[in-house]
Amino acid sequence: MNAQLKFVVDELKALYPKKDYNIIEFDGFEPDQLVQILSNVICTIESKEAVNTRSENREMTIKRLLNSLYIMKYRPPSGNEYDLAQSLFLGEKSAILPLLEWLLKERSTLEKRAYLGRYLIKIEVPPALRGDSNLEELFENYEQLLETFKDAHREREQHLSAGSNTGELRGDLAVMEREREIVAAKVATLQKTRVEGSKANAALLARVKALRESRAKRDMLLEQKARLQTTCVEMERFVARTKQQVAEARRAAHGVTPQGLLQRAEEEEKVSTYIANEKIPADMKSGQTQLQLLREVASQTCLTRSDLAQVEQQVRALSSEVNALLERRMAAADPADDKLTPFKQQAAMLGRKKEAAAEALGELKKESAALKSKLEKIQGQLMPGEELPLTEEQFKKYMGQLKPRTELFKAKRSQLSSQTAECGVLSRTLEILRSNHELAQRQLGDEERRLGLSGYSSTASQLAEVNATKTELDLQKESKLEALSKTILELNQIIASKKAKLAPAIQELRPLREQYQAALADFNKLKQVYDATAANLGSASNKIEQARTNSAG
């Protein structure tokens, strides 16, 4: 208790620095002061202005505090909210002190919870008013805004949780600034060297301007195209909905006569008249009566056990008086009234049936409006190219197509279950055979050891494995030899066919080869004569050149 009180006082000092709280002073506070402090803390968490509880009605104060605690999801230690309300009404320290500790300890979480609760707690609309189309549309917009707020808050929390460090961001900004300066300097240099120094400067600038304008025009056309596509999709959906409505109207009007339409209109007019003149006023009267009762109950103080006993005694007394008055009425009843009693009972029964039918009609209208809004919402969420939901006839046709598939699925599933069961039996049989085999192997090993032939069965199994391997290798060798012999035969056949094709060419080549050899021999002889003549001419020219040189000298 002392640690709890110290924690509360320290947190209050930090929360309200201008107020100098201390443990002794706080321990001596009156119940009204404790309730005021509790109210101030809750108003601070909810970011509201503090309320003076002395000028506020105590019942309204307790109701406001309990509503805030409900939004903050506070669970009383006793688990009874009535006891908590009674303790807060009396300003008991044993209830307020733990509550203050919880509020101050979980303040950051409760601030977020109070902020969300301010917008996410839905407004309760009475069922009697849900039939109004304007109110229904307004309530749907309200629910859509709630969903939008949830999404926006969720995105904000994600951005806050995934936010980068401020120092890193500043460093990145500085680096980007330096890179921007470098790029600006390069652009300026290029502009001076390549643009301003160029002879076709004006032409280049005009082309760049034209390119920029063409790109802007292209972007504008693309945006216009996207808008037109969206409009086309919306118009297609509208046309599809209109066609569906026309088809439904035609189906509804099939076989309908003018007399039937007139009769239906008269029935609808009677139902609307009954609802407008009898049911709605009766519902409003009952609602006003219930509201008056609730106001009277809210204006009263919290009832104690003695008050409840007194109220129960009054109820019993009033019940006995009502019974006595009914007995007097029955005793003084007129025989003519007795004759009218069955008709009165029948009229009352018809009235109850009419009320029940009107309530059922209202429920069906609400359900129809909800289904229509849901259908419109689904149709609005359809992507381009998607089909509309199935109509009743299409759904019946689909169910008819699905029936044989369902029967086939059931048959296949029964086959699968039987095969699964058979697989289980075979698996169990395999396990039994393996266990019997292992048992037989152990018995065989014991018998071999007894006869002094240990390892005989293993050796025999190894020999069998070797024989099987040898047989397999022989088969592989035989198959490979057959393939090799087949390949050799194919090669021999190919060689023979090639020889047969080349034989005429070889026969033609032989005389040509002989002619070539004879020509080559003549060529060699003539070349020898040419070489000797060239050598002689060379020596003669050298002698003449030498003689010319000597005569010139």
Side-chain angles (χ1 to χ4, degrees):
M1 186 70 177
N2 292 330
Q4 189 180 50
L5 182 61
K6 185 176 182 303
F7 173 77
V8 171
V9 171
D10 293 339
E11 291 294 327
L12 288 174
K13 283 182 181 180
L15 188 61
Y16 306 110
K18 295 182 180 180
K19 296 182 180 181
D20 189 12
Y21 291 110
N22 57 66
I23 297 176
I24 298 173
E25 182 184 2
F26 193 87
D27 193 32
F29 278 166
E30 296 294 329
D32 293 339
Q33 293 176 318
L34 293 175
V35 173
Q36 180 65 55
I37 292 173
L38 178 61
S39 176
N40 292 339
V41 172
I42 290 177
C43 289
T44 303
I45 291 173
E46 293 179 342
S47 300
K48 296 180 181 178
E49 294 183 0
V51 180
N52 188 3
T53 57
R54 295 181 184 274
S55 61
E56 188 182 20
N57 190 7
R58 178 53 67 89
E59 285 81 6
M60 295 300 296
T61 303
I62 301 304
K63 185 178 179 181
R64 176 171 58 81
L65 296 179
L66 289 176
N67 189 22
S68 299
L69 293 174
Y70 172 75
I71 293 173
M72 296 176 189
K73 298 182 181 180
Y74 176 70
R75 298 290 181 268
S78 61
N80 192 347
E81 295 183 357
Y82 179 78
D83 294 340
L84 177 63
Q86 194 74 19
S87 301
L88 294 178
F89 184 82
L90 298 175
E92 295 179 356
K93 187 185 298 183
S94 59
I96 294 177
L97 197 60
L99 182 54
L100 284 172
E101 183 186 11
W102 180 75
L103 290 171
L104 295 171
K105 189 178 293 184
E106 304 290 337
R107 191 177 68 179
S108 59
T109 305
L110 295 179
E111 286 176 353
K112 185 185 296 184
R113 194 173 294 171
Y115 167 73
L116 294 176
R118 188 186 308 170
Y119 302 103
L120 295 183
I121 293 180
K122 289 187 177 181
I123 300 172
E124 296 294 335
V125 179
L129 302 177
R130 293 298 292 271
D132 190 0
S133 60
N134 295 328
L135 184 61
E136 188 72 22
E137 184 178 359
L138 184 61
F139 191 74
E140 289 179 359
N141 293 333
Y142 168 70
E143 290 181 342
Q144 291 177 1
L145 289 174
L146 282 181
E147 296 296 329
T148 305
F149 174 76
K150 288 180 183 178
D151 296 337
H153 180 74
R154 191 179 300 111
E155 290 179 0
R156 176 181 175 274
E157 292 295 328
Q158 290 177 357
H159 287 310
L160 289 177
S161 60
S164 303
N165 190 9
T166 307
E168 294 179 357
L169 290 175
R170 289 178 179 175
D172 294 339
L173 288 174
V175 172
M176 292 171 67
E177 187 66 24
R178 288 195 297 270
E179 291 179 354
R180 187 181 71 82
E181 293 176 357
I182 294 170
V183 172
K186 288 183 178 180
V187 169
T189 304
L190 290 173
Q191 186 175 3
K192 290 180 180 179
T193 57
R194 296 188 180 181
V195 178
E196 295 179 357
S198 178
K199 296 180 179 179
N201 186 8
L204 289 174
L205 291 176
R207 290 179 182 178
V208 169
K209 184 178 179 181
L211 178 61
R212 190 182 300 111
E213 291 177 353
S214 64
R215 287 182 177 177
K217 188 175 180 180
R218 183 196 61 183
D219 296 337
M220 184 179 67
L221 291 174
L222 288 175
E223 292 178 0
Q224 187 176 2
K225 180 183 176 182
R227 288 196 299 270
L228 290 175
Q229 287 178 350
T230 305
T231 306
C232 290
V233 171
E234 292 178 356
M235 293 303 297
E236 288 177 359
R237 292 176 180 172
F238 176 74
V239 170
R241 288 197 298 269
T242 306
K243 287 182 179 179
Q244 187 175 358
Q245 291 174 1
V246 170
E248 291 177 356
R250 287 177 178 175
R251 286 197 300 270
H254 182 68
V256 178
T257 60
Q259 292 79 9
L261 290 174
L262 183 61
Q263 184 179 0
R264 183 183 299 175
E266 289 177 353
E267 291 176 356
E268 291 179 356
E269 192 269 337
K270 289 180 181 179
V271 171
S272 302
T273 304
Y274 168 73
I275 292 174
N277 297 335
E278 297 182 17
K279 188 175 185 304
I280 293 178
D283 292 340
M284 291 178 64
K285 187 176 180 181
S286 62
Q288 290 175 357
T289 305
Q290 187 176 5
L291 180 61
Q292 185 65 27
L293 290 174
L294 292 174
R295 285 177 178 174
E296 292 178 359
V297 172
S299 62
Q300 294 177 0
T301 58
C302 296
L303 299 177
T304 60
R305 294 186 180 276
S306 60
D307 295 335
L308 290 175
Q310 186 177 359
V311 171
E312 289 177 357
Q313 186 176 0
Q314 292 177 1
V315 170
R316 286 195 295 271
L318 291 173
S319 299
S320 61
E321 289 180 5
V322 170
N323 292 329
L325 290 173
L326 288 175
E327 290 176 358
R328 289 179 187 177
R329 182 181 177 183
M330 292 175 66
D334 190 5
D337 294 336
D338 294 338
K339 293 179 181 180
L340 295 175
T341 300
F343 299 102
K344 291 180 179 179
Q345 291 177 354
Q346 188 175 5
M349 183 174 63
L350 290 175
R352 288 193 295 271
K353 287 184 178 179
K354 188 185 289 185
E355 291 178 359
E359 291 179 358
L361 179 61
E363 294 294 332
L364 290 174
K365 284 184 177 179
K366 292 177 187 176
E367 186 176 359
S368 176
L371 290 174
K372 285 182 180 179
S373 62
K374 186 176 180 181
L375 178 61
E376 292 177 356
K377 186 177 180 181
I378 292 173
Q379 290 176 351
Q381 292 176 354
L382 288 176
M383 298 298 291
E386 292 187 5
E387 297 181 357
L388 293 173
L390 298 178
T391 60
E392 185 176 359
E393 295 180 356
Q394 292 175 350
F395 183 73
K396 288 181 180 179
K397 185 177 179 181
Y398 172 72
M399 292 300 295
Q401 294 175 357
L402 191 63
K403 188 174 180 181
R405 296 183 182 180
T406 306
E407 294 177 355
L408 180 62
F409 170 74
K410 290 181 179 179
K412 296 296 183 182
R413 186 172 62 183
S414 62
Q415 292 179 4
L416 179 62
S417 60
S418 62
Q419 291 179 0
T420 304
E422 186 177 358
C423 180
V425 172
L426 293 175
S427 300
R428 179 59 183 167
T429 305
L430 181 61
E431 291 178 359
I432 294 171
L433 292 174
R434 285 178 178 174
S435 61
N436 293 335
H437 177 69
E438 292 176 358
L439 180 60
Q441 289 293 112
R442 286 197 295 271
Q443 291 178 356
L444 181 60
D446 295 338
E447 188 68 21
E448 288 176 354
R449 285 193 295 272
R450 188 177 66 80
L451 297 174
L453 298 174
S454 299
Y456 175 76
S457 59
S458 62
T459 304
S461 62
Q462 290 177 359
L463 288 174
E465 291 177 358
V466 170
N467 289 330
T469 305
K470 180 177 178 298
T471 304
E472 185 178 358
L473 292 174
D474 291 340
L475 292 175
Q476 292 179 359
K477 182 179 178 182
E478 185 177 357
S479 62
K480 289 181 179 179
L481 289 174
E482 290 179 355
L484 183 61
S485 61
K486 186 176 180 181
T487 304
I488 292 171
L489 289 174
E490 290 177 355
L491 290 174
N492 291 330
Q493 290 176 0
I494 292 170
I495 291 170
S497 63
K498 295 294 182 182
K499 284 182 178 180
K501 290 180 180 179
L502 293 174
I506 292 171
Q507 291 178 0
E508 293 177 358
L509 184 63
R510 284 177 182 174
L512 294 175
R513 186 180 295 172
E514 292 175 356
Q515 293 176 5
Y516 167 73
Q517 290 177 355
L520 182 62
D522 294 339
F523 171 75
N524 290 330
K525 290 178 181 179
L526 294 173
K527 186 179 180 182
Q528 290 176 0
V529 173
Y530 171 77
D531 291 337
T533 306
N536 293 327
L537 290 174
S539 60
S541 63
N542 288 331
K543 288 179 181 180
I544 293 169
E545 184 69 22
Q546 187 175 5
R548 187 181 66 80
T549 304
N550 293 328
S551 63

